């Protein structure tokens, strides 16, 4: 069963918090590059010297991807439309193009020094269109069929920047599709949701799926990011610039767990490119083991708000992390899933059964919903409020997935090192250290 999603500019502006709109002239592409604070925070120049995601295909199950955007030319495969006819490279909504740009954008101009660059600029994007217009219904069978298609057409990572609303559940076909991907060694990454609630939405809450929340450029949890048991990682998801061919200047500004999910998918592509012999479970293990709580003191992984920590692509590639077991540390979907899951995140004997959800599958794009503004008309006002425990209402569902049996529980991480010469991200005062400094965490090993 599908349900219609409400998508309005008013709702988006309310979602993003303080955002000043001015009558400034249209921004230049170089200005667009300058606003990508994530690239500096993650020291991506050093990371790209190791790999840029060559040879890895990332499936973007979304609203389509416009491969004609100058920052995505040559990166987007033909893909397939699952909405009943159309072109997978047509993106009326603009969301899928934005997610693709965060994963595999390569920029444009002389030396590709202008425009959007994703974390894995040499990965390929397989666009799988499950939404045409912003008011279309979402159907489980559409995105489930797209997931199966991705597996059968060589995707090694599947990005699901969509989420079930509060109380929704993934129907059998969706569960079977996730199980199919896991059985075929594919990393599945999904958004935790933008309800500000205390449970992770499905499909992110399903066993074995990397569930992703959002943080800002100081490493603080975004106040609309869903939290709860079973959250895997958090990644940048506040004041994120992305490609959008529906805007006159070709770009938009987003907040949401969608963007954070795209960054985790890109990091998974980098790991798969550098370590092609690792299984999907071992790739997830590296992402988990290399994450850090940075300057958040007193947390123990897995934490309900930060999971195993903030994504760190460079450390996922460079830390000395044993490959570990081949199985997925987050559990495994049963291929015979029916109305309730027979497995949960984690495989310990104390694992609890998933909570049952109310009927109906209400899928929404989990943020990264374009705040449709001209980049030059934006005064970046960064949301800096820290999470107030339990903020936001709890939906009737979300599941209660257990934690991985490996890696071992990590100890609280040390404070982040001072800013080591990285450019100060937009909206961040110079006196604040860069919270994404790439020092090794204490792994308790």
């Amino acid at each position: 069963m599908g349900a219609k999603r409400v998508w309005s500019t008013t709702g988006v502006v309310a979602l993003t918090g303080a955002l000043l709109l001015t009558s400034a002239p249209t921004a230049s592409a170089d200005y667009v590059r300058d606003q990508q604070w994530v690239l500096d925070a993650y020291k991506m120049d050093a990371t790209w010297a190791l790999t840029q995601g060559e040879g890895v295909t990332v499936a973007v199950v979304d609203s389509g991807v416009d491969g004609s955007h100058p920052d995505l030319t040559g990166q987007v495969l033909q893909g397939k439309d699952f909405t009943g006819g159309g072109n997978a490279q047509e993106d009326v909504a603009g969301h899928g193009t934005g997610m693709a740009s965060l994963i595999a954008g390569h920029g444009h101009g002389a030396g590709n020094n202008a425009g959007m660059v994703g974390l894995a600029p040499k990965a390929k994007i397989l666009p799988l269109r499950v939404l045409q217009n912003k008011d279309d219904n979402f159907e489980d069978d559409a995105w489930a069929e797209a997931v199966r298609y991705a597996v059968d057409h060589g995707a090694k990572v599947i990005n699901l920047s969509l989420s079930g609303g509060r109380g929704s559940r993934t129907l059998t076909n969706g569960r079977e599709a996730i199980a199919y991907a896991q059985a075929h060694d594919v990393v599945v990454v999904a958004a935790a949701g933008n309800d500000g609630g205390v449970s992770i939405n499905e499909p992110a809450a399903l066993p074995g799926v990397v569930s992703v929340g959002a943080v800002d450029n100081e490493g603080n949890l975004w106040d609309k990011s869903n939290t709860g048991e079973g959250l895997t990682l958090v990644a940048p998801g506040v004041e994120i610039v992305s490609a959008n061919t529906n805007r006159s200047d070709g770009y938009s500004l987003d907040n949401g767990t969608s963007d954070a999910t795209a960054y985790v998918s890109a990091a998974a592509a980098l790991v798969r490119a550098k370590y092609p012999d690792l299984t999907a479970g071992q790739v997830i293990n590296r992402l988990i083991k290399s994450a850090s709580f940075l300057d958040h003191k007193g947390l123990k992984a897995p934490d309900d708000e930060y999971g195993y920590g903030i994504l760190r692509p460079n450390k996922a590639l460079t830390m000395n992390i044993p490959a570990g077991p081949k199985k997925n540390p987050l559990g495994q979907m049963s291929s015979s899933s029916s109305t309730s899951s027979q497995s949960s995140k984690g495989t310990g004997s104390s694992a609890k059964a998933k909570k049952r959800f109310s009927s109906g599958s209400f899928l929404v794009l989990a943020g990264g919903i374009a705040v449709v503004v001209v980049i030059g008309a934006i005064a970046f006002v960064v949301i800096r409020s820290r999470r107030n425990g339990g903020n936001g209402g709890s939906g009737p569902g979300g599941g209660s997935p257990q934690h991985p049996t490996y890696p071992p529980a990590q100890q609280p991480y040390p404070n982040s090192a001072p800013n080591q010469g990285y450019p100060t991200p937009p909206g961040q005062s110079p006196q604040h250290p860069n919270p994404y400094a790439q020092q090794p965490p204490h792994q308790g090993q």
Side-chain angles (χ1 to χ4, degrees):
M1 176 182 295
K4 190 164 289 186
R5 181 199 191 302
V6 178
W7 187 345
S8 67
T9 301
T10 301
V12 171
V13 172
L15 185 80
T16 60
L19 184 67
L20 299 181
L21 304 182
T22 71
S23 57
T26 301
S28 68
D30 287 339
Y31 180 84
V32 170
R33 176 65 60 85
D34 292 342
Q35 305 316 305
Q36 295 168 60
W37 62 267
V38 175
L39 302 181
D40 292 327
Y42 275 151
K43 296 201 308 182
M44 289 309 298
D45 284 341
T47 302
W48 290 329
L50 303 172
T51 179
Q52 297 184 38
E54 302 92 332
V56 177
T57 296
V58 180
V60 175
V61 180
D62 214 292
S63 59
V65 176
D66 189 342
S68 70
H69 192 287
D71 298 335
L72 284 168
T73 55
Q75 297 304 104
V76 182
L77 304 174
Q78 181 177 355
K80 185 175 180 180
D81 183 288
F82 293 87
T83 65
N87 181 0
Q89 293 201 22
E90 179 183 5
D91 186 7
V92 176
H95 189 269
T97 301
M99 299 307 100
S101 72
L102 298 179
I103 297 169
H106 53 50
H108 66 271
N112 286 336
N113 288 325
M116 277 298 307
V117 175
L119 298 192
K122 291 188 178 179
K124 293 294 184 181
I125 298 294
L126 180 66
L128 303 175
R129 193 180 189 215
V130 297
L131 164 74
Q132 283 191 17
N133 301 304
K134 60 182 182 182
D135 294 324
D136 283 353
N137 290 345
F138 292 94
E139 302 286 350
D140 271 33
D141 56 0
W143 71 259
E145 188 179 356
V147 166
R148 289 179 175 274
Y149 183 94
V151 174
D152 293 341
H153 289 78
K156 301 303 292 181
V157 180
I158 297 176
N159 185 82
L160 296 172
S161 286
L162 46 78
S163 167
R166 296 186 191 184
S168 67
R169 62 177 304 282
T170 302
L171 301 181
T172 301
N173 48 5
R175 291 171 174 265
E176 292 282 0
I178 297 295
Y180 184 75
Q182 293 171 351
H184 288 80
D185 195 42
V186 177
V187 177
V188 181
V189 187
N194 297 340
D195 307 314
V198 290
S199 61
I200 307 304
N201 291 344
E202 292 194 7
L206 295 176
V209 177
V210 181
S211 54
V212 185
V215 293
D216 64 20
N217 69 349
E218 291 186 337
N220 297 325
L221 193 72
W222 180 47
D223 61 357
K224 296 293 184 181
S225 182
N226 285 10
T227 62
E229 189 176 10
L231 183 68
T232 308
L233 294 167
V234 291
V238 177
E239 305 291 351
I240 305 298
V241 180
S242 61
N244 188 338
T245 47
N246 297 325
R247 303 302 303 155
S248 60
D249 63 352
Y251 303 94
S252 61
L253 178 71
D254 311 322
N255 289 353
T257 57
S258 275
D259 306 84
T261 300
Y263 280 135
V264 173
S265 291
L270 293 174
V271 174
R272 302 219 83 161
K274 183 170 173 57
Y275 301 102
D277 294 332
L278 293 185
T279 66
Q282 291 167 334
V283 170
I284 293 170
N285 182 47
R286 288 196 73 91
L287 295 176
I288 290 173
K289 284 283 188 70
S290 58
S292 173
F293 290 133
L294 300 173
D295 62 347
H296 297 287
K297 299 179 180 179
L299 301 183
K300 182 179 179 180
D303 178 74
D304 282 358
E305 293 189 338
Y306 291 87
Y308 282 88
I310 299 171
L311 175 74
R312 298 197 304 168
N314 183 274
K315 292 303 177 184
L317 298 176
T318 60
M319 285 184 67
N320 182 16
I321 300 173
K326 292 183 177 182
K327 64 183 181 181
N328 189 331
L330 302 178
Q332 184 82 18
M333 284 293 294
S334 169
S335 60
S336 59
S337 297
S338 56
T339 56
S340 62
S341 175
Q342 299 178 11
S343 177
S344 61
K345 284 187 180 181
T347 56
S349 59
S350 62
K352 301 175 183 178
K354 288 282 211 179
K355 293 181 182 178
R356 296 183 64 88
F357 293 81
S358 61
S359 62
S361 178
F362 183 61
L363 288 183
V364 299
L365 295 177
I369 299 167
V371 179
V372 286
V373 293
V374 177
I375 293 299
I378 297 169
F380 284 86
V381 181
V382 179
I383 300 169
R384 296 180 183 275
S385 59
R386 290 182 179 269
R387 180 83 173 173
N388 186 5
N391 183 37
S394 174
S400 52
Q402 296 298 302
H403 304 307
T405 54
Y406 84 97
Q410 303 168 1
Q411 300 299 314
Y413 297 112
N415 293 340
S416 58
N419 191 325
Q420 301 173 4
Y422 311 142
T424 302
Q428 180 175 316
S429 302
Q431 64 265 27
H432 292 296
N434 180 352
Y436 291 85
Q438 299 279 351
Q439 82 283 358
H442 176 67
Q443 292 288 323
Q445 296 178 342

